[in-house]
Amino acid sequence: MKDTTNKQKVIVVGAGPVGALAALYAAKRGDDVHIYELRGDLRDPSTTPLNFTKSINLALSERGINSMREARCDGLVEAVLEETIPMYGRMIHGKHQTGELYEESQEYDVYGRYIHAVDRAGLNARLLDALSALDNVSLHFNHKLTGADFSRNLAWFEQRPHAPKTDHAQNPTQPPLNKVDAERAPEIETNFDLLIGADGAHSAARYHMMKFERLNYQQEYIDTLWCEFHIPAVSLPASSLAPSTEKSFAISPNHLHIWPGGTFMFIAIPSLDSSFTCTLFAPHDTFKQLSASPSTTILPFFQENFPGLCPELINEKDLLQQYNDNPHLPLISIKCTPYHHGSSVVILGDAAHAMVPFYGQGMNAGLEDVRVLFDFLDAHGVYADSFPLSSASARTALRAKALQAYTQHRTPDASAINDLALRNYEEMRSSVTSPLYMLRKSVEEHVNKYFPGLGFATQYSRVSFENERYSEVEKAVTRQGRVLMRILTSGLVGVSTGAAVWSWIWWNGRAGKASGSIVGGWFEWIANRVSMHQS
């Protein structure tokens, strides 16, 4: 950790993964760091998540891992990855016209790369533990940001030692406040050099920044709600001597499982305890119809649209209870710019660009925000080796330039992944069973494998396994799509014959495997011919 003559005082609002990583980056550069979190200590199992779900499993991929790797914290990445489960691809569940259930694996990457299923609470705990070990970090839980003056660099926090549960507007279940809770909590005033807002989609930091900055803001609730479900672990067969106490996964632990339904879908992500955290995504009207009479609608809906799920993986009683007990929450998409005001405040993660969860990039993009931000602060000399007290104004000027550069650089990237996440919902709920989707995916993967110099790669691999800017990914995939369409419509192959063969393959329910085999064999033959020519 750097020893600076004139430390910056950095306040981070929000102690989730993004806020915790931002605090770690600042602390490792010698700043005096104070973290303020609305909730209690997030490492305490009794702390209620803001959306009231019992558990949240996330997809951790290269961008998030790389951002933690650059945090200058030995052992952090290893500690986090030890508590993850590799997911090598999607497992698509469905039923043939014959009534036979099927599972079809669609690998994420032709080179075998994978994403990690990670428990949000566990990841958060590892980051907070790393912060707790540092002398220049102070953690302040149960503190609510109530005001900020970004001209005078002052912030006010309400101390809430017995903070009541704050409900989501869609699910009011908060008990009546008693007399003590109803009284205004004591408020503290604190100064800062830089305030980093990482306090989520309904950010208080962003709200107060808007009073000082002409901030363009766009918010959209998509016509989809979500509800959490749970597939329990199964007991292994007991021996003749003793009953079994060991648990196992009911389905493959190394896949993200999808039951596509056209306008809705059900997904399952593995957990370390051999269970699966599951989510139903469906339009508001679908939830409205199901909620009219859950006892008579839920089971038929699941059995018709998600074959093999109930009662095979979730029994009827648990399915109904989980639907009734767990909240039905909305999905929000937020874009705004700029992300900063002067030299005094910057917002990161969902506070700057909340996105729908269908690319598994919300947290990864937020963690990448941290790395990119501090890359700009470093590049502009904010953390130069020595800043005497007399140079405080010079550092302030450099910080302002760095924040301006960060906003200009990051805004198009955040906008791009926001849009990609929205479009990926259609792919997950519908296109994953489309022959055209699988053909394009197979062609892109095999061009990348056998002719890497052409620069072809699937959109998913660019987003999840590389650190290429999101905006550049979007441009590259658009160019790549135009090239593929020209190839597929150029007449180099018999279109009519190809369509007939493909229809036969799809009719027989083997499109995914057949496309990979046919396309793979064709590209391997071409690559061998090219190799023979060159030798």
Side-chain angles (χ1 to χ4, degrees):
M1 185 167 55
K2 186 188 298 182
D3 181 21
T4 55
T5 306
N6 179 25
K7 291 183 179 181
Q8 295 182 117
K9 182 176 180 181
V10 174
I11 285 179
V12 179
V13 182
V18 175
L21 187 66
L24 196 56
Y25 266 68
K28 288 292 184 176
R29 286 162 172 76
D31 290 338
D32 177 21
V33 179
H34 294 259
I35 307 171
Y36 291 88
E37 168 58 46
L38 174 65
R39 296 161 288 178
D41 192 330
L42 303 180
R43 292 166 290 186
D44 184 346
S46 67
T47 298
T48 305
L50 288 180
N51 57 11
F52 315 122
T53 55
K54 297 176 183 176
S55 58
I56 304 174
N57 281 22
L58 301 171
L60 177 64
S61 56
E62 166 59 22
R63 294 174 192 271
I65 295 170
N66 183 53
S67 299
M68 289 188 287
R69 190 183 296 123
E70 297 296 322
R72 305 177 185 177
C73 185
D74 293 341
L76 173 63
V77 172
E78 292 76 11
V80 169
L81 293 182
E82 279 182 6
E83 297 179 341
T84 66
I85 299 173
M87 295 189 293
Y88 292 91
R90 299 165 175 164
M91 184 70 79
I92 310 302
H93 295 256
K95 182 189 291 186
H96 292 304
Q97 292 184 345
T98 60
E100 179 185 3
L101 298 178
Y102 70 84
E103 293 181 344
E104 180 184 283
S105 176
Q106 296 180 0
E107 292 186 0
Y108 285 133
D109 183 63
V110 71
Y111 297 107
R113 292 176 292 184
Y114 52 87
I115 60 177
H116 302 259
V118 62
D119 174 63
R120 180 190 176 98
L123 170 62
N124 219 152
R126 300 292 79 75
L127 290 166
L128 291 175
D129 287 344
L131 287 167
S132 296
L134 300 177
D135 295 334
N136 57 328
V137 174
S138 298
L139 298 170
H140 308 270
F141 295 106
N142 294 312
H143 279 69
K144 178 183 179 181
L145 178 66
T146 56
D149 185 333
F150 294 118
S151 297
R152 296 189 295 154
N153 287 27
L154 294 173
W156 293 268
F157 292 90
E158 202 174 74
Q159 293 177 295
R160 311 171 74 197
H162 303 290
K165 176 178 173 181
T166 304
D167 283 314
H168 194 287
Q170 300 286 332
N171 296 275
T173 59
Q174 180 174 306
L177 298 177
N178 59 36
K179 183 177 180 181
V180 175
D181 291 328
E183 294 176 354
R184 183 173 177 85
E187 193 173 68
I188 62 169
E189 178 183 285
T190 183
N191 66 310
F192 58 86
D193 294 303
L194 174 64
L195 186 147
I196 298 175
D199 50 340
H202 304 285
S203 168
R206 183 186 66 231
Y207 170 76
H208 292 296
M209 188 180 84
M210 291 172 76
K211 301 172 185 177
F212 292 83
E213 185 63 43
R214 293 181 300 169
L215 187 140
N216 294 316
Y217 179 81
Q218 175 185 336
Q219 171 182 302
E220 176 187 3
Y221 282 101
I222 70 169
D223 184 26
T224 299
L225 302 181
W226 64 279
C227 179
E228 183 181 289
F229 291 83
H230 181 77
I231 294 177
V234 296
S235 298
L236 293 174
S239 68
S240 58
L241 300 177
S244 174
T245 58
E246 296 186 39
K247 299 289 185 178
S248 181
F249 291 96
I251 48 181
S252 167
N254 299 122
H255 290 84
L256 187 154
H257 294 262
I258 303 177
W259 282 261
T263 60
F264 43 76
M265 69 176 179
F266 190 90
I267 68 170
I269 299 177
S271 301
L272 291 173
D273 64 358
S274 299
S275 67
F276 285 82
T277 298
C278 311
T279 311
L280 168 65
F281 295 99
H284 177 270
D285 284 348
T286 300
F287 271 95
K288 185 177 180 180
Q289 293 167 9
L290 293 174
S291 298
S293 179
S295 60
T296 60
T297 58
I298 295 299
L299 183 60
F301 174 78
F302 271 75
Q303 290 183 333
E304 178 183 353
N305 296 290
F306 310 130
L309 187 60
C310 181
E312 293 88 342
L313 301 176
I314 309 176
N315 66 53
E316 298 176 17
K317 178 183 176 182
D318 289 345
L319 184 73
L320 180 60
Q321 182 175 346
Q322 290 170 29
Y323 180 85
N324 287 330
D325 290 351
N326 293 337
H328 307 156
L329 298 172
L331 292 171
I332 192 171
S333 175
I334 291 174
K335 294 179 181 179
C336 69
T337 192
Y339 297 146
H340 75 291
H341 172 71
S343 65
S344 58
V345 59
V346 63
I347 54 176
L348 307 176
D350 284 354
H353 47 72
M355 66 192 71
V356 294
F358 305 118
Y359 228 123
Q361 285 295 302
M363 178 186 68
N364 291 287
L367 297 178
E368 188 177 58
D369 285 349
V370 176
R371 179 187 64 78
V372 175
L373 169 64
F374 280 87
D375 281 350
F376 277 102
L377 290 171
D378 289 340
H380 282 76
V382 174
Y383 291 104
D385 289 338
S386 178
F387 261 104
L389 290 173
S390 60
S391 300
S393 60
R395 173 179 264 183
T396 298
L398 293 174
R399 190 168 59 244
K401 291 180 180 178
L403 298 186
Q404 175 67 30
Y406 169 76
T407 282
Q408 292 176 345
H409 177 91
R410 195 61 176 164
T411 298
D413 292 333
S415 179
I417 189 56
N418 201 303
D419 293 340
L420 290 172
L422 278 168
R423 292 201 291 269
N424 204 51
Y425 183 32
E426 181 178 353
E427 178 177 311
M428 293 179 70
R429 75 190 185 195
S430 179
S431 299
V432 288
T433 59
S434 161
L436 184 60
Y437 161 79
M438 288 185 282
L439 176 61
R440 173 172 173 167
K441 180 176 183 291
S442 186
V443 169
E444 288 175 332
E445 288 177 338
H446 286 90
V447 170
N448 176 251
K449 180 178 180 180
Y450 292 105
F451 304 100
L454 295 178
F456 265 51
T458 64
Q459 177 176 287
Y460 191 92
S461 66
R462 291 178 187 272
V463 168
S464 297
F465 304 124
E466 299 172 13
N467 292 292
E468 183 180 5
R469 291 182 63 183
Y470 289 121
S471 57
E472 293 301 319
V473 168
E474 193 172 36
K475 293 175 185 176
V477 170
T478 299
R479 290 193 301 268
Q480 192 169 291
R482 288 198 293 264
V483 172
L484 281 176
M485 287 304 297
R486 285 199 295 269
I487 292 174
L488 293 175
T489 58
S490 64
L492 295 177
V493 295
V495 175
S496 299
T497 303
V501 171
W502 196 256
S503 298
W504 179 85
I505 291 170
W506 180 245
W507 180 262
N508 284 273
R510 297 190 294 271
K513 294 179 181 178
S515 66
S517 176
I518 294 171
V519 174
W522 185 63
F523 274 104
E524 187 172 353
W525 180 81
I526 292 178
N528 288 336
R529 299 290 293 180
V530 171
S531 178
M532 290 171 59
H533 248 330
Q534 292 175 340
S535 62

